[in-house]
Amino acid sequence: MFVLGIQGSPRKKGNCDYLLTSFLKACESHGAVTQVIHPDKLDIQPCKELIVCEKKGFCPIQDEMEEMGYSLVKKADIVVLASPVFFYNVPAQVKGFIDRCQMFWGRKYKLKLRDPDAYHRQGFLLGVGASGGKRLFEGVELTATYFFDAISAENVGSLTYRNVEDAGDIIGRPGLLKEIQTAAAKLVEPVLNKKTLLFVSDKDACCSQMAAAFAKEAVKGRFKVLTAGKVAAARSDATMVKVMAEKNMDLKYQTPQSLEKVLTGLGREPDHVIFFGSKEAMPGMVNVIAEEWDIIKPRDNSLEAFQTLRDAIEVRVNQFIPSLLRSLG
Ligand SMILES: Cc1cc2nc3c(=O)[nH]c(=O)nc-3n(C[C@H](O)[C@H](O)[C@H](O)COP(=O)(O)O)c2cc1C
């Protein structure tokens, strides 16, 4: 599983840095893979309110947001936002990052596209501020709530600390590390312990992605649904993304993964694997239920051919899910 940390403070070795590093270390100790991004260090321009995202579903501003923002946010199982209070809200750099996530808001609310990972993704806030007022975190918490909603993450909680001013003030607070360990374990362990359904196709660019999206909607977060390719394509098939959007499913940021990488990341055997085609690529696993589904190749590259393929996969997945629920329960 992948945890993305957004380090919102521009200060080097400050309090957010310490909090986030400790939090992510705790996640790693439970088996999560983590990555930190610093909005302050990225080339991310503020939103210019061009409204292209609300009409066409993408942001035309060319900067690092696509690769270091949008892609990573959508890859994440858990997004941890660490932010100091600056004038009762997040720092401008974080606000700029969040404002650019209006692109996801536009896809979700204007274009009515559902992210199949919405059942699964979680958002968590870490906050620090210098004063001790009761309402100190209200602005940050409200902003974080709507940020998590835009990126289709469930807002699952926060740890906030008052009377933290100078760099390092947070270090050594009684009970801090224990509190972080407990919160991280509560977030990560249920995700890691979820039973896993894996769809494998040749390149993880089309059939596996479609099947996984339908399965994610059907199991509503009860299982972790993964996809992999015997080899991974550079990107998902654009026509596949288009025909899934016709079903109001947002697969734009689903990235093909190699089977090897997925199994390494999982750190254990998946519980159920479905192969589009032969399961000969399956490494020697003993306890896995594996089945083969026919490869249904689109007859050509036309939209109609992909629509036919999509509909066939939807029917197959919906027939299969009840038996999966009975066997993995
Ligand atoms: C521009 C600026 C604005 C701030 N505004 C507030 C504020 O409104 N309320 C508050 O309690 N602390 C405020 N602070 C203090 C920081 O929240 C505090 O020093 C925090 O520990 C910084 O975290 P860091 O070390 O991760 O950067 C502000 C600091 C700066 C630089």
Side-chain angles (χ1 to χ4, degrees):
M1 70 170 299
F2 177 59
V3 183
L4 176 68
I6 302 174
Q7 211 289 71
S9 168
R11 178 150 71 178
K12 278 187 194 147
K13 299 196 174 151
N15 299 303
C16 287
D17 185 48
Y18 179 79
L19 267 184
L20 185 62
T21 306
S22 308
F23 198 93
L24 295 184
K25 260 194 203 150
C27 293
E28 285 166 13
S29 74
H30 291 276
V33 173
T34 70
Q35 184 172 344
V36 180
I37 52 171
H38 300 77
D40 182 50
K41 292 186 190 159
L42 295 171
D43 168 27
I44 293 177
Q45 297 174 49
C47 173
K48 309 249 190 251
E49 214 177 351
L50 303 169
I51 312 296
V52 176
C53 63
E54 294 181 19
K55 293 190 176 128
K56 298 193 177 160
F58 70 93
C59 179
I61 300 173
Q62 302 274 321
D63 57 15
E64 286 188 284
M65 192 64 192
E66 185 67 33
E67 197 188 333
M68 298 305 291
Y70 300 143
S71 301
L72 291 176
V73 159
K74 286 285 161 162
K75 188 179 148 195
D77 299 288
I78 298 172
V79 174
V80 184
L81 170 63
S83 178
V85 177
F86 277 16
F87 286 89
Y88 287 85
N89 212 306
V90 296
Q93 298 89 328
V94 183
K95 188 61 168 45
F97 184 95
I98 291 176
D99 287 352
R100 290 287 298 284
C101 289
Q102 180 73 355
M103 188 278 282
F104 291 131
W105 187 94
R107 292 181 75 81
K108 185 174 173 180
Y109 290 111
K110 292 283 184 177
L111 303 179
K112 309 277 182 225
L113 294 169
R114 300 185 305 274
D115 179 346
D117 287 315
Y119 293 105
H120 176 78
R121 191 176 297 113
Q122 304 179 76
F124 193 85
L125 173 69
L126 297 170
V128 290
S131 59
K134 204 169 148 221
R135 303 184 63 185
L136 178 59
F137 293 104
E138 280 183 9
V140 174
E141 276 173 348
L142 210 51
T143 302
T145 298
Y146 287 99
F147 166 55
F148 291 145
D149 181 69
I151 63 169
S152 297
E154 186 190 353
N155 185 358
V156 287
S158 63
L159 287 175
T160 51
Y161 300 93
R162 292 173 170 77
N163 303 308
V164 180
E165 186 160 10
D166 295 332
D169 272 0
I170 192 83
I171 302 172
R173 277 213 172 192
L176 177 80
L177 291 178
K178 178 89 191 121
E179 203 167 28
I180 286 174
Q181 277 285 352
T182 307
K186 209 171 140 199
L187 271 187
V188 170
E189 276 183 352
V191 181
L192 284 172
N193 292 335
K194 272 186 193 178
K195 296 225 168 122
T196 314
L197 167 65
L198 171 64
F199 288 97
V200 182
S201 63
D202 278 349
K203 294 186 188 157
D204 194 22
C206 186
C207 290
S208 50
Q209 298 283 352
M210 286 181 173
F214 289 122
K216 283 173 191 173
E217 290 244 310
V219 302
K220 298 192 170 24
R222 282 176 66 183
F223 305 122
K224 178 109 173 94
V225 182
L226 299 169
T227 66
K230 290 164 194 166
V231 289
R235 61 191 66 83
S236 296
D237 191 293
T239 315
M240 181 279 290
V241 175
K242 215 172 186 171
V243 297
M244 291 302 278
E246 291 174 352
K247 287 263 170 184
N248 297 101
M249 287 190 175
D250 192 355
L251 269 64
K252 182 174 176 192
Y253 287 95
Q254 299 288 340
T255 322
Q257 306 281 333
S258 73
L259 182 58
E260 196 186 348
K261 200 170 164 197
V262 169
L263 294 176
T264 310
L266 194 58
R268 62 184 163 86
E269 295 184 353
D271 298 284
H272 199 119
V273 185
I274 288 165
F275 286 88
F276 283 95
S278 154
K279 58 184 178 191
E280 94 250 335
M282 187 80 172
M285 292 190 177
V286 278
N287 298 317
V288 179
I289 307 167
E291 57 183 287
E292 293 174 354
W293 287 8
D294 295 339
I295 305 176
I296 332 159
K297 281 230 156 76
R299 62 179 183 279
D300 51 44
N301 275 333
S302 68
L303 209 56
E304 294 74 30
F306 275 77
Q307 286 161 340
T308 307
L309 172 67
R310 173 201 66 198
D311 295 343
I313 289 178
E314 182 177 19
V315 169
R316 185 78 207 254
V317 169
N318 288 335
Q319 282 167 349
F320 156 72
I321 291 296
S323 67
L324 178 83
L325 292 172
R326 278 194 299 278
S327 67
L328 297 184

